[in-house]
Each structure stands twice: as C-alpha cells, then as structure tokens.
Amino acid sequence: MNTTPEPVVEDPVIDMPLPPPGTMGPPEEYGRLREECPLARVRLPIGATAWYVTRYEDVKELVADSRLVRPSITDWPPRPGHAPGDEPGLITMMELEGPEHAALRRALSEPFSVRSIRNRLPRIRRAADRLLDPFVSGDQPGDLVVRFIEPFPVMVMCDLVGIPYEDSEYFLPKADAALGAILTLREGREATAQLREYIVALLDRKRREPGDDMLTHLVRAREQGAVDEESAVSFGLSMLVAGYRTSTMFLADAVLTLLSRPGAYAHLRDHRQLLPGAVEELLRYIPVMNGVVVLQAVEDIELHGRTIHAGDAVLPVLAAANRDGNVFADGDGLDLCRTDNPHLTFGRGAHNCIGSHLARAQMTVCLEALFDRLPELRLAEGHDPIWEDESPSKSPLTLPVNW
C-alpha cells in the first residue's frame, strides 16, 4: 500500500489584471476569467496575493458576506514585526463593523437621504457654475479635468461635510496617497496619521464653531451619545479619502465616454429625459472599480470547489461583475437607454455606499451643467488625454476640449 502523501498543489498566481495603457479599461482578462477562472489567485502590485472574483453572482454575494471585512491599510498586508493596530489606522466607514458602524449609518441616514440631496441640488449646481464661469470664457483648448471635473466633487464634498475648501491643497495629496495605498503602501501609511490629525482638529473646531454641515451634525450626535468619537473620525476620513476621488474618476470617464462616441453627447443634451437611465448606465459601464475593494476573510469560505482561508484577501471586482453578459445584455457595450440595470457599483449589504444618492446627483448636475454651458463640447483634435497607467483605477488626468 502506497502511503506517500499526495503533493500539495498550489493555486497558480497571475499578475493582477490592469487596463491597457492609455485607456480607462477594463482589463482585457475579465471576460476570460469570468468564463474560465471566476476565482483566481492574483499578485497585487505591492507583492501581496489575493483571491480575484469576477462573476456577477459571486461578487454580489461576497460584497455582502459578513465573513469578509475590509482591513485598514495599516493592518494589511501584514508586515513582519508589526502587529495589527500598532499604529494609527485609516479606519473609514468601510472598515467599521458592528454596532459602531450601524450607529454611524443611522446618524447619517437623513443627511445622505434622497430628500436631503435633492434639496442640495441648487448648491451643487452653483458649485458647477462657479467653476465653469471662468472656463467658458477662457482660452481653447481647455483642460476640463484640471479646471472643472477635478475640483467639482471636492467643492461639493467640502460644502456638504463642512471641510474648508481652502484646505484642499493640504489634504488632497495625502488623501490620494492613502487611497492609492494598494500601489504605494509606504506613502499611504505615512499619510494616514496626518489625515487623522486633521479630522480630529476639524471636529474640535466644529464644537466651537458649529455650521450647517455633516461634521457639525456628527458632533451633536456624539454629544447626545448616538455615536462615539472614533466613528466621527472614521466618517471624516471616509470623506477625505473616498468622498470625492471616485466621483472625479467617474465624471472624467463619463465625459470622455460620451465625447468619444459620435452623437452621444448631443443626444443626451437634446433628450434630457434619458439622463437618469444614462447616469445608471455610465455608472455600470465605467470600470473605475477595477478590483480595488480589498476584503479579508475572517473564516473559511468555500467557492467553486476551493477554499478561501481565514486571513486571505479577496478582491470582488465590481467592474468585472458589471460587465457580466449573463446579467447584462451586451455587457461590454454602452446602452444609454438600458432599463434593467442592477449594477453593483455602490456595493450592497451593510457596507453599501451611503453616498450613492450624492454620487448620482453629482454626475447628473455635472452633465446638465456641461450641456447648458458647453453645448458644442468636443475633444480637442491633436491633444490626447494624459493617463496614469499604473493604477487599477483609471481616469484621464487631463481632458483637452474645445467648445
């Protein structure tokens, strides 16, 4: 009888798929992985490995699975000689769990509600016009990203949350470093403590000088015992890190997508009734979330005959799920009249994006303002957009246009 143990077969590890250079993506591998290897092992640019999940039904289940939590960038990937929690963490709302997370979402449910965001639409439009006034009268071609799309979500976020817009030159580079920590881990961790210090100081200022904003709302909720101090800090960090950057990427990619397709911009400009559905389709189609949602298993999970072990990192790729042809007819095509659109861009479950109504409002107002102020907007011939080609999250850094 042969008692030789069976050899352990390691899962093959592939490099993390990245979009082709000079494009928003998605990575070319999505279709093949969905078909042939829906649960793959990938090597991230920082050297760590993770499970890469690309099918819609799998992603839909995993993003709402309580056995998966989002680790802080200071705790994952683990480093020799460092224990979890041994340095200030970038704990945003996405990393909060349990009663603290539930209490914070309750405290913010009204400010982020459909009604509240609808009431703020005039202020959001004023922010757009404030930026477009000098752009429209400026020289052509003009850079729409640098002069409008980049600052617009920051201005809206600052007004809503209560962060001084004039502080953006200080916090934006640090927030970008933290958001990009999947690629630049050291820089992300270095920025974390400074971001925390900034939010703690800002909350203290709101206690002394209250305003009509979300941070003041949370300070009052803290005084009433509805949320704790750390939860308020986590919300502030969420807004600095994720409250504007993903919106910037979606807006830049959305405008480029419309301008790159003959007649698409003009069609929406002249048929505004299509805009709500078109916004949903753009949110589905634009592959900003190219596998940058890092989750970590807290217990073993079986999927496709394989075991995701406790401690393993999991990347449910929202952008791949949103292109799944088993759910979306012509999933890789853009259909601005699509009606059945159960995209996963905002996640689902306990950690679904609390700012989803705000994100939709920003994209809607952005496009309406461009249609009104720049009805003949078009890409500038001979001036290609500039891309940063290393990040899995892709949007143009510049967008030269004429009008």
Side-chain angles (χ1 to χ4, degrees):
M1 180 177 179
N2 185 359
T3 58
T4 304
E6 291 288 329
V8 176
V9 179
E10 295 287 339
D11 291 305
V13 179
I14 63 174
D15 288 334
M16 180 177 175
L18 291 174
T23 75
M24 71 182 72
E28 298 168 349
E29 296 93 334
Y30 279 178
R32 180 185 62 79
L33 288 173
R34 279 195 305 263
E35 183 69 25
E36 302 174 7
C37 190
L39 181 64
R41 292 285 288 175
V42 299
R43 183 183 302 103
L44 306 183
I46 56 175
T49 59
W51 293 101
Y52 201 73
V53 186
T54 48
R55 285 183 185 170
Y56 180 93
E57 291 301 330
D58 295 334
V59 171
K60 180 180 178 181
E61 292 302 316
L62 289 177
V63 294
D65 195 319
S66 61
R67 296 172 295 178
L68 291 167
V69 300
R70 186 161 178 165
S72 166
I73 64 168
T74 50
D75 293 336
W76 187 90
R79 292 169 294 157
H82 289 262
D86 66 354
E87 58 184 298
L90 185 68
I91 306 298
T92 70
M93 287 187 70
M94 292 301 293
E95 289 82 41
L96 275 183
E97 297 288 340
E100 292 81 9
H101 175 252
L104 182 57
R105 288 188 72 101
R106 282 195 301 271
L108 294 169
S109 60
E110 172 55 26
F112 275 117
S113 68
V114 173
R115 182 182 66 83
S116 292
I117 298 302
R118 186 182 299 122
N119 290 340
R120 296 190 74 90
L121 287 176
R123 295 174 71 159
I124 297 174
R125 178 57 191 260
R126 283 196 295 272
D129 286 329
R130 175 181 164 187
L131 292 166
L132 285 173
D133 283 343
F135 184 82
V136 169
S137 59
D139 295 334
Q140 300 191 42
D143 188 342
L144 196 64
V145 165
V146 171
R147 297 184 60 191
F148 174 59
I149 291 175
E150 183 87 14
F152 173 57
V154 181
M155 191 176 289
V156 172
M157 182 271 292
C158 286
D159 180 56
L160 178 69
V161 177
I163 298 172
Y165 180 69
E166 58 269 22
D167 289 355
S168 59
E169 290 185 5
Y170 170 79
F171 67 74
L172 287 182
K174 301 180 190 308
D176 281 346
L179 186 66
I182 194 170
L183 291 170
T184 56
L185 196 58
R186 180 179 59 82
E187 292 86 350
R189 283 171 167 150
E190 287 175 353
T192 295
Q194 294 168 315
L195 289 174
R196 285 183 57 86
E197 290 173 3
Y198 175 77
I199 288 297
V200 168
L202 191 54
L203 287 168
D204 187 56
R205 190 192 313 176
K206 295 298 178 182
R207 293 185 181 93
R208 302 190 310 270
E209 304 169 11
D212 178 22
D213 53 63
M214 288 189 178
L215 288 183
T216 298
H217 178 79
L218 281 184
V219 165
R220 291 173 179 152
R222 170 71 181 91
E223 292 169 349
Q224 296 165 3
V227 299
D228 59 24
E229 182 73 11
E230 191 58 34
S231 295
V233 173
S234 295
F235 169 73
L237 288 170
S238 300
M239 293 299 97
L240 288 184
V241 175
Y244 70 94
R245 178 53 65 200
T246 50
S247 292
T248 295
M249 293 178 177
F250 270 112
L251 295 179
D253 283 339
V255 174
L256 178 59
T257 296
L258 293 177
L259 295 181
S260 300
R261 286 162 172 73
Y265 183 87
H267 187 69
L268 271 186
R269 179 198 65 203
D270 297 338
H271 299 85
R272 303 288 180 93
Q273 73 277 10
L274 298 177
L275 199 51
V279 165
E280 294 304 315
E281 175 66 353
L282 288 165
L283 288 168
R284 179 200 71 84
Y285 177 82
I286 293 168
V288 164
M289 304 303 286
N290 281 311
V292 295
V293 177
V294 179
L295 303 178
Q296 193 169 24
V298 294
E299 60 182 89
D300 290 357
I301 299 173
E302 298 296 326
L303 183 65
H304 295 299
R306 306 165 88 178
T307 301
I308 299 171
H309 294 287
D312 286 354
V314 180
L315 273 65
V317 189
L318 303 179
N322 284 343
R323 297 291 188 101
D324 193 329
N326 290 320
V327 178
F328 304 98
D330 187 21
D332 283 322
L334 179 72
D335 180 3
L336 296 176
C337 296
R338 191 185 300 271
T339 54
D340 185 19
N341 202 339
H343 65 76
L344 299 175
T345 299
F346 296 118
R348 60 186 293 271
H351 284 282
N352 69 298
C353 178
I354 196 171
S356 60
H357 302 310
L358 176 62
R360 290 181 170 102
Q362 286 186 124
M363 183 175 286
T364 301
V365 171
C366 171
L367 293 176
E368 287 179 336
L370 291 176
F371 294 153
D372 292 342
R373 305 295 302 277
L374 302 165
E376 302 301 322
L377 187 67
R378 58 198 180 277
L379 297 176
E381 292 186 16
H383 296 80
D384 293 333
I386 296 173
W387 297 82
E388 190 279 291
D389 279 323
E390 295 304 315
S391 173
S393 301
K394 293 289 294 294
S395 67
L397 300 176
T398 66
L399 188 58
V401 295
N402 289 108
W403 55 95

